[in-house]
Amino acid sequence: MKLTFLGTRGEIDPKTKRHRMHTSLLITYQKKRVMIDCGTSWLKKLKSLKPDHIVITHAHPDHCWGLKNGAPCPVWTTKETWKLIKSFPIEDRRVLLHRRRKKIAGISFEAFPVWHSIRAPAVGYRIICGDVKFFYVPDVTWIPKIHSAFRDIAFYIGDGATIIHPMIRKHAPSGQIFGHATVRQQLTWCKKQKVKKMIVTHCGSGIVRNEKRAIKHIEKLAEERGVEVELAYDGLELIL
Ligand SMILES: [Zn+2]
Ligand SMILES: [Zn+2]
C-alpha cells in the first residue's frame, strides 16, 4: 500500500511549494487508486489524476468543490454530504453509512461522525488496507467515538489548522462545539489512546507561514507526549 499526500493545505490563502493543493490523500492498493477529498484546487486537475474512486469527508469547498464539474469515477460519501452537493453533476453517487464498514477497491472504510461544522456534517474514516489500520480526519474538533476509531491503529492522520491557538466556537442555539482542535490536543488524544504516531495534514497559516518554526514546535509537543509526529507536505509518499 502506498499513501500519497496529494495536497496538505487547509482553507487558507497562504501557500508554498510544500502546501499548495487542498488537502487530499491518495491510497494506492493492488493497482487501484482511491482519492480522499477533492477541494477547489483539484477542479482542473481531476481529469489527469484519474482516480478509481473518490471518498469525501464533508461538504466544505476545500474538501469537495473540485467535483463541481462532476467526477470521472464513483464518488462515496455520507447522506448528509450528498444533500449539500446534490447540484454537482456527479453520475455515480455511492452512500456510506455511519459506522458501517464498506470495501472500496479492496480497502475498508468506516465513517465516524466527528464534530467540525454545523452546516457541513463531517466524518473521519477508519481505514483498513491489507494489515495496516489508520484513521484519517483532516478537519476535526472532536471524535465522539474516539476509542473505537483509534483502536489498534498504526497512526492517526489529523488536522493541522492550528498548532496551539484555539479555533473552536460554540453554536449558540444547539450548544454544539465546532471548528478545529489544535495539534496539541490531537497529540494528547494519541497519547491517551496509545496511538504511536500522528501525521499532520490540512495545514493552517501557523504551519505554512513559517514551517521550520512550526515543525520544531510540533516536535516538542509530540515529544512531551511520547508520540511520534510527521508533518505531511504535497507529494509526500509513504510505502507501508
Ligand atoms: Zn478543511
Ligand atoms: Zn471543513
Side-chain angles (χ1 to χ4, degrees):
M1 185 215 355
K2 185 170 80 175
L3 298 183
T4 308
F5 289 82
L6 295 174
T8 54
R9 182 167 66 97
E11 185 67 315
I12 52 166
D13 290 331
K15 43 176 115 157
T16 58
K17 246 190 191 168
R18 282 166 63 92
H19 308 286
R20 183 175 302 276
M21 300 301 287
H22 281 141
T23 302
S24 179
L25 181 72
L26 187 76
I27 308 177
T28 308
Y29 182 60
Q30 293 174 343
K31 295 187 182 156
K32 295 282 183 197
R33 297 152 85 236
V34 180
M35 178 186 196
I36 311 179
D37 282 347
C38 182
T40 313
S41 60
W42 291 100
L43 191 60
K44 291 192 177 129
K45 300 194 178 216
L46 195 52
K47 263 195 187 151
S48 56
L49 190 68
K50 280 194 219 138
D52 295 292
H53 295 270
I54 297 171
V55 179
I56 297 294
T57 59
H58 65 298
H60 278 157
D62 57 321
H63 297 269
C64 69
W65 283 20
L67 301 173
K68 273 188 156 181
N69 296 336
C73 63
V75 177
W76 302 76
T77 191
T78 60
K79 283 181 197 160
E80 293 78 8
T81 296
W82 277 124
K83 257 187 228 160
L84 297 167
I85 58 169
K86 60 174 183 262
S87 64
F88 293 5
I90 299 166
E91 282 167 25
D92 194 343
R93 299 171 180 236
R94 315 268 179 109
V95 175
L96 289 169
L97 299 174
H98 291 168
R99 300 301 311 278
R100 208 64 79 73
R101 282 191 205 173
K102 185 79 203 171
K103 279 220 168 159
I104 301 172
I107 305 163
S108 165
F109 282 80
E110 182 177 353
F112 279 73
V114 299
W115 298 1
H116 166 56
S117 163
I118 307 295
R119 290 179 61 184
V123 295
Y125 291 105
R126 179 178 163 86
I127 297 167
I128 306 176
C129 189
D131 51 13
V132 181
K133 302 185 180 86
F134 63 100
F135 194 82
Y136 182 80
V137 66
D139 295 44
V140 63
T141 315
W142 172 240
I143 305 166
K145 300 287 180 201
I146 192 164
H147 189 67
S148 310
F150 280 25
R151 188 168 38 85
D152 296 333
I153 56 171
F155 50 91
Y156 161 66
I157 304 177
D159 186 348
T162 171
I163 302 174
I164 54 165
H165 298 293
M167 282 181 73
I168 288 182
R169 283 155 65 194
K170 197 180 209 174
H171 177 245
S174 62
Q176 177 76 49
I177 304 289
F178 66 99
H180 300 268
T182 61
V183 171
R184 177 165 61 191
Q185 286 169 325
Q186 293 169 79
L187 287 165
T188 302
W189 302 348
C190 290
K191 181 189 172 187
K192 286 191 177 158
Q193 301 299 328
K194 300 191 168 52
V195 173
K196 285 201 183 97
K197 181 174 178 178
M198 173 175 178
I199 301 172
V200 178
T201 188
H202 195 265
C203 299
S205 310
I207 291 174
V208 175
R209 283 218 176 94
N210 190 340
E211 183 157 348
K212 276 192 185 146
R213 194 175 65 185
I215 288 176
K216 272 193 188 157
H217 192 181
I218 290 170
E219 282 177 349
K220 183 168 175 281
L221 296 168
E223 201 184 306
E224 286 166 1
R225 287 160 181 80
V227 175
E228 274 176 57
V229 75
E230 182 165 1
L231 183 62
Y233 54 87
D234 295 15
L236 170 66
E237 288 185 353
L238 300 175
I239 294 167
L240 298 149

